[in-house]
Amino acid sequence: MSRYLGSSTLNTYYSDFVRTFGNVLFAVSLFVVWGLLTLIGVIVDQGKDPGIYFDSYPAPIARAILRLRFDNIYHSPWYVGIIGLILLSLTVCTFKRVIPARMPPLRPVKIDKIPLHASLEVAGDERTVRERVEGFFRARGWQLRKREFDGTEWTFADKHNWARRGVLVAHIGFVIIAAGTTLYWARGFSGETAVVTGQSVEIPQTKAILHLDDFAYKITPVLTKGGMVYQPTDYVSHVTVTGNDGVPKAMTVRVNHPIDVDGTLYYQASYGFAMRFTITHDGKNVPALSDRVLLEGENFDVPGTRLTISYDRFVPTVDRASGMPSADPRVNDPAVILSVSNGGQQAGTAIVPLRSWVDLGGGWRLVPSRYLLYSGFQYRYDPGIPLVGIGALVLVAGLLISFYFLPARLYARVDPAPGGLWTVGLAATTVKGYDMFESQFQGLISEFSSEYAVKAP
Amino acid sequence: MNGHLQADELLMIVAIACYVFGALALFAYFFSREAWLRNLGIPLAVVGCVAQFAQLGVRWELTGIWPLLNLYGSLSLFAAMSVAIFIGMAWRYNAWYAGGFVLALAGIALAYGVTWNEGTMPAVPSLQSYWAKVHVPIVVSSYAAFLVAFVFSVIYLIKYYAEARVAATVSTVELAGTGGMTMRVHGDTPALATAAANGNPLALWLQTLPSLAQLDVIVYRAVAIGLPLISIGIITGAAWAKEAWGAYWQWDPKETAALATWIVYLAYMHLHTRNNWRGLRTNWVSVIGFAVVIFTYLGVNIWISGLHSYKM
Ligand code: HEM
């Protein structure tokens, strides 16, 4: 008894599940949630430090953003979950709705219950009348099929019957895209790296070695209505890359022109100015510190003191009048912005022209002596790309089929009418309701009746 | 050189003037149905649209720079494509009555675009790609199709609510005698027909518009232009992003907002398959969709910074 109850409860759950997930309105509700989550991610800055949210929003909202993972929404359980639910609903819908609704079997209908219908009276014997009906539709490219139901012969005429599968094609396209993105999550990787001119780095995931021979950028000053604008117009890295085959190869990376090394793509992503500082103590060079090259944002501790010097930013051109950075990004009169902290406490910042010295106290001196360009690369291995590409094409093909080919079905039956005439009953259905097809239907009916009908509808 | 620049500005003035006068003529036609107003409005719409495409061509020729990389150029194309798509649909469905709305919106988009004219600038490296020539026009054209859908949805909603108001003036006794008319799928409701027969001026005017069902089909057709276009736009954008930034999808605000737009129109299409949603509710979805388009197109550029601000 209890086992029987158990399985019937299970059946109820199952049919509830199928009913819910097979409902287009449920799918649309999922779309609405998907759309809203997507928009939240547009409005709330993504992937920032928690502090930034507290700076930009009142504390309770900032807390909510962090707790709900809206700071990284596209990788949150909500986002992944909603896409999972959409895929689930898509699968259920395909079997419970799309196939039954879009590909109905041939069966008789009540002609005058269908909004698009007409009956016309045609003279002649039954066979001629049937042949006329069939010939009329065949001549207009309709595909004809005949079936008998309870002794009555029905003629079914289909237009664009193949296009009934357009929805399935669109849906499969979406599934293929989802599979492609999952493949990246499962097997792909990406990262960033910066290489100083003349140096090399090893990419951890691929063990490829990237040597930066040279980096160059071009900046074009443009005089606009709003004043001088310095427009960057080219970034180019000349690199020597050693991949799996161990043979170093010279290559050029530009924005929009990545290079492919053993299937991993490397992109020009950023650039900056690395700095060599000459550091002396009591007039003597300290090689351990002076030989280091710092990227913007890096720092070092001064031995024997509680000082930390941070190289914040490179200033290509200092405005000599104000002593402040100018807008010109070309290197004319460079300086560095340094900040000093003492025992973890910020002690001050300074803008220091290249090759001038700063006294740090206790006999320590620092000179920003030489800058070196570095180039920032992004790299990415994404085995899902071909699938995503194919899925996208399939999706678009499905959309075009669904929107531009309207599958329509005509139902025709011929019945005897008084006066030796025959009544031809015609009704039409389409996969998109009746409005879409009404003018065409009326066109067909008036053509038919002007050719054959004794009495117009 | 200067002579060319004047040609460029002259074409812009021609376009704006055509849109302003064309909008006036077609708005007047919308209300009055005087054929001469339509016959005046159509050439103005066509000339304005042609002038705009010529203007974009002249600018490209003149500067050697693809003109669609800033808001000025892209809004110009948006206006031109909206009018072009409208002309195509109006021609096919005899729907010139909607021209006043389309030309007015195109004129506003164009005038607003002109305020973003910063003169000529060479493109930053990430924009120096042939994808710019493919992706931008496609996305902008999809937005233009959604504008046209929006306009017809607005007309649908005007007719829907005005019809409800007219229906309230018709007694049930009068309606009882009109049973046979409900068989028509297209065509107006019996209440509207009865009110018009009674000489109700609003009802008579509403009858000059296509039936709600026909208006709904026009909206569907416009969305059916826009949705494949925005899909292709997102795909070409992804292909470009893969080339420029390393990943075909970076959750950058602009591409993400485009995804949200896509989702809204996908919802429209699914709702449109439902008999009881097709009509009033799907037309509201089309109106909401266009609000999301505007947010994606302008709101994101203005309020939210991302990779698409092209800083490299
Ligand atoms: C997310 C990606 C999806 C895409 C790109 C997509 C695309 C489409 C397209 C193009 C149509 C044809 C519309 C028309 O002919 O007017 C359609 C219809 C349909 N879709 Fe989807 N769809 C998606 C998701 C879903 C989901 C999650 C469901 C699950 C319920 C679903 C259920 C349906 C059904 C049942 C129809 C046909 C309705 C009918 O003929 O009555 N779709 N879809």
Side-chain angles (χ1 to χ4, degrees), chain A residues 24 27 86 89-90 93 97 102 167 171 174 395 432, chain B residues 220 270:
Chain A
V24 183
I86 287 175
S89 160
L90 189 58
C93 256
R97 237 207 97 80
R102 293 253 159 172
V167 185
H171 287 170
F174 185 73
L395 174 64
K432 287 189 235 296
Chain B
Y220 174 88
H270 281 88

Side-chain angles (χ1 to χ4, degrees), chain A residues 282-340:
Chain A
D282 295 335
K284 279 204 286 295
N285 188 19
V286 182
L289 293 176
S290 300
D291 291 350
R292 273 190 63 185
V293 175
L294 296 190
L295 304 187
E296 285 163 295
E298 291 186 336
N299 59 39
F300 64 91
D301 297 329
V302 182
T305 71
R306 305 180 63 207
L307 296 179
T308 302
I309 312 293
S310 161
Y311 164 41
D312 288 346
R313 194 158 76 78
F314 183 80
V315 178
T317 302
V318 180
D319 175 19
R320 281 285 158 151
S322 65
M324 298 308 281
S326 83
D328 191 341
R330 294 167 302 177
V331 181
N332 299 319
D333 192 357
V336 293
I337 295 180
L338 298 179
S339 59
V340 181

Side-chain angles (χ1 to χ4, degrees), chain B residues 4 23 46 80 139 201-202 243 285 308:
Chain B
H4 277 299
V46 173
V139 172
L202 180 56
E243 216 168 85
V285 176
H308 267 82

Side-chain angles (χ1 to χ4, degrees), chain A residues 398-438:
Chain A
L399 294 181
L400 294 177
I401 296 170
S402 302
F403 300 159
Y404 290 100
F405 298 91
L406 179 65
R409 176 165 295 169
L410 290 168
Y411 301 79
R413 61 177 285 174
V414 176
D415 292 302
L421 296 173
W422 296 89
T423 304
V424 176
L426 288 169
T429 61
T430 82
V431 297
K432 287 189 235 296
Y434 305 101
D435 304 334
M436 206 72 78
F437 193 65
E438 191 188 359

Side-chain angles (χ1 to χ4, degrees), chain A residues 85-385:
Chain A
L85 287 178
I86 287 175
L87 288 170
L88 190 60
S89 160
L90 189 58
T91 313
V92 176
C93 256
T94 299
F95 296 104
K96 290 290 154 186
R97 237 207 97 80
V98 176
I99 292 175
R102 293 253 159 172
M103 278 155 263
L106 301 178
R107 54 169 182 250
V109 293
K110 289 210 166 59
I111 295 261
D112 54 2
K113 287 280 181 300
I114 292 182
L116 291 181
H117 74 262
S119 9
L120 304 109
E121 314 236 300
V122 181
D125 61 84
E126 183 175 1
R127 229 193 57 218
T128 340
V129 172
R130 285 193 185 281
E131 274 168 12
R132 281 182 180 168
V133 172
E134 286 160 21
F136 177 84
F137 288 109
R138 203 169 269 131
R140 283 162 183 75
W142 291 76
Q143 174 205 341
L144 293 189
R145 279 178 289 180
K146 284 194 270 191
R147 293 283 186 281
E148 214 181 281
F149 298 96
D150 297 332
T152 312
E153 185 176 289
W154 283 81
T155 304
F156 301 92
D158 279 291
K159 195 79 172 239
H160 302 314
N161 203 33
W162 62 275
R164 290 178 184 270
R165 290 157 195 85
V167 185
L168 291 177
V169 175
H171 287 170
I172 290 169
F174 185 73
V175 174
I176 299 176
I177 293 177
T181 51
T182 313
L183 201 57
Y184 170 71
W185 282 38
R187 305 239 339 264
F189 57 81
S190 69
E192 287 172 27
T193 186
V195 199
V196 178
T197 310
Q199 297 191 357
S200 300
V201 291
E202 190 189 73
I203 305 300
Q205 293 95 335
T206 63
K207 309 289 178 232
I209 294 168
L210 208 66
H211 178 88
L212 182 65
D213 303 321
D214 170 50
F215 173 80
Y217 59 91
K218 194 162 112 201
I219 286 170
T220 311
V222 191
L223 193 60
T224 67
K225 285 179 191 153
M228 186 66 91
V229 171
Y230 297 91
Q231 185 87 331
T233 45
D234 197 15
Y235 306 108
V236 49
S237 297
H238 295 286
V239 291
T240 303
V241 192
T242 315
N244 284 345
D245 60 2
V247 184
K249 285 185 208 70
M251 294 176 134
T252 304
V253 194
R254 275 200 154 87
V255 177
N256 277 321
H257 300 278
I259 55 169
D260 181 336
V261 182
D262 304 324
T264 302
L265 295 171
Y266 295 78
Y267 302 84
Q268 182 67 53
S270 62
Y271 75 99
F273 297 84
M275 232 27 224
R276 207 182 271 282
F277 294 94
T278 306
I279 293 157
T280 58
H281 189 229
D282 295 335
K284 279 204 286 295
N285 188 19
V286 182
L289 293 176
S290 300
D291 291 350
R292 273 190 63 185
V293 175
L294 296 190
L295 304 187
E296 285 163 295
E298 291 186 336
N299 59 39
F300 64 91
D301 297 329
V302 182
T305 71
R306 305 180 63 207
L307 296 179
T308 302
I309 312 293
S310 161
Y311 164 41
D312 288 346
R313 194 158 76 78
F314 183 80
V315 178
T317 302
V318 180
D319 175 19
R320 281 285 158 151
S322 65
M324 298 308 281
S326 83
D328 191 341
R330 294 167 302 177
V331 181
N332 299 319
D333 192 357
V336 293
I337 295 180
L338 298 179
S339 59
V340 181
S341 56
N342 192 342
Q345 295 284 335
Q346 181 76 18
T349 61
I351 177 161
V352 184
L354 220 66
R355 283 185 281 283
S356 57
W357 54 266
V358 190
D359 197 339
L360 300 173
W364 289 93
R365 265 193 187 180
L366 167 153
V367 179
S369 50
R370 182 163 169 235
Y371 76 83
L372 289 162
L373 279 163
Y374 67 83
S375 183
F377 298 99
Q378 257 183 35
Y379 56 91
R380 192 173 182 93
Y381 169 69
D382 186 345
I385 286 179

